[in-house]
Amino acid sequence: MIEIIIIAIAVLIVAVLIYAATLPSNFQIKRSVTIKASPDRLFPLINDLHNMQTWSAWETVDPAMKRSYSGEASGKGVKYAWEGNREIGQGSMEITESIPPVKVALKLDFIKPFKGQSTVEFTLEPTGDNTVVTQTMQGTNEYIAKLMCLLFFNQDKMIGGKFDQGLANLKTIAEE
């Protein structure tokens, strides 16, 4: 009887491992918010990584996190690096594209807890007196990340939830 249970558990583990390998490697997480402000009002809040500290939900995860900046004050080439607790990890971001007042693209390099690269793009689309701000993250999950997402957390919910919080904070600041 114990042998049957052990075999059943082994088959289940192998099935989970195989299923994780079949999950898509590429991911995309996208959130939008409508803000009663012009793109000209919003763009500097996104294009200047110092300003991003005032609204990004990631900044509140570890208030003691170490931050450093390099490059110009804003725009293409600006770099921001962080090192924090286990939840926030360590990494850096760089603005790779800055098109006033419609788009800011960033390259993210994660070092800890897992190595990885992603891109984040902010687009600003005017609609009357409002602007629709869309934040999109794209990247690739290696096998271990696919397994972690399958077993322990929902990547879209976890990261998308932070995007929702950050965009809500951006809305509050921009509409003041």
Side-chain angles (χ1 to χ4, degrees):
M1 183 64 163
I2 296 213
E3 290 175 358
I4 293 172
I5 293 172
I6 291 172
I7 291 171
I9 291 172
V11 167
L12 180 62
I13 291 171
V14 169
V16 167
L17 295 174
I18 291 171
Y19 179 68
T22 67
L23 294 173
S25 294
N26 296 326
F27 70 88
Q28 178 176 301
I29 300 163
K30 182 185 259 188
R31 297 294 191 273
S32 295
V33 66
T34 301
I35 300 176
K36 189 165 184 62
S38 70
D40 290 323
R41 164 83 173 110
L42 293 163
F43 190 78
L45 295 171
I46 299 167
N47 194 51
D48 182 332
L49 298 181
H50 293 87
N51 288 338
M52 199 176 281
Q53 279 188 349
T54 64
W55 59 267
S56 172
W58 298 104
E59 294 293 329
T60 62
V61 173
D62 180 7
M65 143 172 78
K66 297 175 190 164
R67 299 168 181 88
S68 64
Y69 298 88
S70 61
E72 298 295 322
S74 63
K76 186 175 180 178
V78 173
K79 294 181 182 177
Y80 166 73
W82 71 89
E83 185 174 353
N85 61 21
R86 284 183 24 201
E87 191 175 351
I88 199 70
Q90 181 181 3
S92 65
M93 68 173 73
E94 177 181 356
I95 295 179
T96 57
E97 187 175 15
S98 176
I99 305 171
V102 295
K103 180 179 175 184
V104 176
L106 303 121
K107 178 181 88 165
L108 275 74
D109 290 308
F110 300 99
I111 300 168
K112 293 180 183 177
F114 299 104
K115 289 188 179 206
Q117 281 191 334
S118 297
T119 59
V120 171
E121 185 176 287
F122 291 90
T123 57
L124 293 83
E125 183 181 332
T127 56
D129 292 340
N130 300 315
T131 302
V132 176
V133 178
T134 301
Q135 183 176 9
T136 306
M137 180 180 204
Q138 296 182 47
T140 303
N141 281 335
E142 300 298 326
Y143 178 75
I144 191 71
K146 292 193 259 185
L147 189 59
M148 298 287 287
C149 290
L150 177 65
L151 297 175
F152 301 113
F153 60 87
N154 179 317
Q155 187 176 28
D156 185 76
K157 188 174 182 181
M158 183 182 80
I159 295 171
K162 289 290 187 201
F163 284 7
D164 288 334
Q165 288 175 354
L167 292 171
N169 294 341
L170 179 63
K171 178 180 175 87
T172 299
I173 290 169
E175 291 181 349
E176 288 180 339

